[in-house]
Amino acid sequence: MLQEVETNKILEVKELSTVFSTDAGEIRAVDKVSFSLAKGKVLGIVGESGCGKTVTSLSILQLLPRTAYISAGEIFFNNKDLLKLTADEMRTIRGNHIALIPQDPMTSLNPVYTIGNQMLEVITLHQGIEKLEARNRAIEALEQVKIAIPSRLLENYPHELSGGMRQRVIIAMALSSRPEILIADEPTTALDVTVQAQILNLIRNIQQQAGMALLLITHDLGVIAEMCQDVIVMYAGQIVEYASVYSLYDDPLHPYTISLLKSLPVKQKKRLEQIEGQPPSLQTLPEGCYFEPRCPKRFPECKKVLPGLIEIPDGRKVRCLLYR
């Protein structure tokens, strides 16, 4: 069953929809997404590229590009509706209370400023403290992510660091304000396998020690299995399955989830299975179930009926006509 979050939830997203305005019309990148995150827990969001994972996180932080806007829904942080806050009020939440580890550390760091300049700017902006104290806080954060001689690293520029070191700096910047929620968006993208494992262990240890809530966004089900208690599976902007990690791996319900798990490399398999076809264009979504064109269990009604998210007796949720 899903972790109990009703009494200690720190983040609650209700019926969130996010739309992009394009020359071809409006595209709904996130479609009525709802979930809760409890204090000290780890919730994973998994799915193929373009399914709405990152847009969901940017909607929570209100860091959407100019062409996008939240068309419906509510986002509660400690029972406070973030969508009703002013821009200044939201800035006090962002970074201080909810921090983000973005996908690409190289593009997230300014190449013409030293690591120290960038870290001190973040800390002084969010914490309102003097530069000397901010420098001490920066060194403390870099020590927390296992960087040796952090005072020396503060003088480096981003291009002088390896990908793994840049990612550690980004994590340190996110942690420097001691947030209550950490959002990690594909935190190991473009890193080699050894460094990936180091970064994931680092995030997990810090999250457990600090008691933070963690929202982990990834396309890697192996990472989900290692890090999370609960998991959301997204497809074409919608949640198609919402379950505990144990339930998802032991007994996946949605045909898309089943196909994802079958595509994982397993030693006993000689050949990997694949999901036939391509995800639908958000500009031309099918009339019925969005996964129907690729679904091995589809039947005629699936072409015409878009299923809602159904809660089954054990508390899991699935979007499929098979479970009506």
Side-chain angles (χ1 to χ4, degrees):
M1 293 181 67
L2 291 172
Q3 297 287 338
E4 181 59 51
V5 297
E6 289 304 318
T7 57
N8 64 344
K9 60 189 173 188
I10 189 171
L11 179 70
E12 186 174 19
V13 176
K14 294 184 177 181
E15 296 290 306
L16 176 67
S17 293
T18 302
V19 172
F20 280 77
S21 299
T22 70
D23 294 337
E26 293 194 334
I27 296 174
R28 185 174 292 183
V30 176
D31 188 2
K32 297 180 180 178
V33 165
S34 299
F35 61 87
S36 295
L37 177 61
K39 295 177 182 178
K41 299 297 183 180
V42 184
L43 173 65
I45 303 181
V46 68
E48 293 171 282
S49 296
C51 72
K53 306 186 300 294
T54 295
V55 178
T56 298
S57 69
L58 295 180
S59 299
I60 293 169
L61 291 166
Q62 296 183 42
L63 289 174
L64 293 166
R66 293 177 182 270
T67 56
Y69 65 94
I70 296 172
S71 62
E74 297 172 304
I75 303 171
F76 291 97
F77 168 68
N78 281 333
N79 298 316
K80 181 185 294 183
D81 190 348
L82 299 183
L83 299 184
K84 293 181 179 178
L85 300 183
T86 65
D88 287 340
E89 289 172 332
M90 190 60 206
R91 273 192 288 271
T92 65
I93 298 290
R94 193 188 303 123
N96 278 328
H97 301 283
I98 306 176
L100 172 68
I101 301 173
Q103 286 190 25
D104 187 350
M106 195 59 202
T107 58
S108 302
L109 294 169
N110 192 320
V112 301
Y113 290 101
T114 65
I115 299 301
N117 284 335
Q118 296 180 66
M119 288 196 71
L120 265 61
E121 181 182 16
V122 168
I123 295 169
T124 54
L125 177 66
H126 289 302
Q127 299 294 306
I129 57 180
E130 297 297 326
K131 282 193 174 181
L132 180 59
E133 187 179 350
R135 180 180 174 84
N136 292 334
R137 182 76 66 85
I139 290 173
E140 179 186 335
L142 291 172
E143 289 174 342
Q144 195 174 8
V145 297
K146 311 299 181 185
I147 288 180
I149 319 179
S151 58
R152 183 184 300 173
L153 183 132
L154 291 175
E155 308 305 320
N156 291 130
Y157 289 87
H159 70 271
E160 297 178 299
L161 306 179
S162 66
M165 289 293 282
R166 288 195 295 267
Q167 190 64 296
R168 287 173 187 264
V169 168
I170 289 293
I171 295 170
M173 291 173 73
L175 296 174
S176 61
S177 297
R178 297 160 187 167
E180 295 170 69
I181 299 175
L182 183 63
I183 300 175
D185 187 0
E186 301 279 8
T188 57
T189 297
L191 301 177
D192 64 56
V193 174
T194 304
V195 178
Q196 283 184 19
Q198 293 173 357
I199 294 297
L200 289 174
N201 285 333
L202 178 65
I203 292 173
R204 178 172 52 196
N205 291 338
I206 292 173
Q207 180 267 330
Q208 291 174 348
Q209 290 168 10
M212 290 184 299
L214 173 62
L215 183 62
L216 178 62
I217 297 168
T218 182
H219 62 273
D220 190 334
L221 280 164
V223 171
I224 292 290
E226 185 178 346
M227 298 283 290
C228 303
Q229 283 98 32
D230 295 329
V231 58
I232 290 168
V233 182
M234 290 189 69
Y235 186 80
Q238 295 184 329
I239 293 176
V240 295
E241 189 160 353
Y242 187 2
S244 71
V245 166
Y246 298 107
S247 298
L248 190 90
Y249 279 79
D250 186 54
D251 181 28
L253 299 178
H254 197 280
Y256 176 60
T257 309
I258 295 169
S259 298
L260 280 179
L261 289 169
K262 284 183 177 180
S263 68
L264 288 175
V266 179
K267 289 182 180 179
Q268 289 82 1
K269 291 183 180 178
K270 294 182 180 180
R271 185 183 181 90
L272 291 178
E273 296 189 31
Q274 64 180 13
I275 306 175
E276 298 295 333
Q278 297 291 329
S281 167
L282 295 179
Q283 292 178 318
T284 55
L285 289 168
E287 178 184 349
C289 174
Y290 296 165
F291 189 59
E292 184 273 336
R294 310 172 71 189
C295 183
K297 298 185 179 182
R298 63 183 180 268
F299 48 93
E301 192 177 355
C302 298
K303 280 185 174 290
K304 299 177 181 179
V305 177
L306 178 61
L309 200 59
I310 302 160
E311 184 169 346
I312 64 172
D314 67 0
R316 287 189 284 172
K317 296 177 182 179
V318 61
R319 189 182 301 274
C320 183
L321 296 178
L322 291 170
Y323 302 95
R324 285 179 298 182

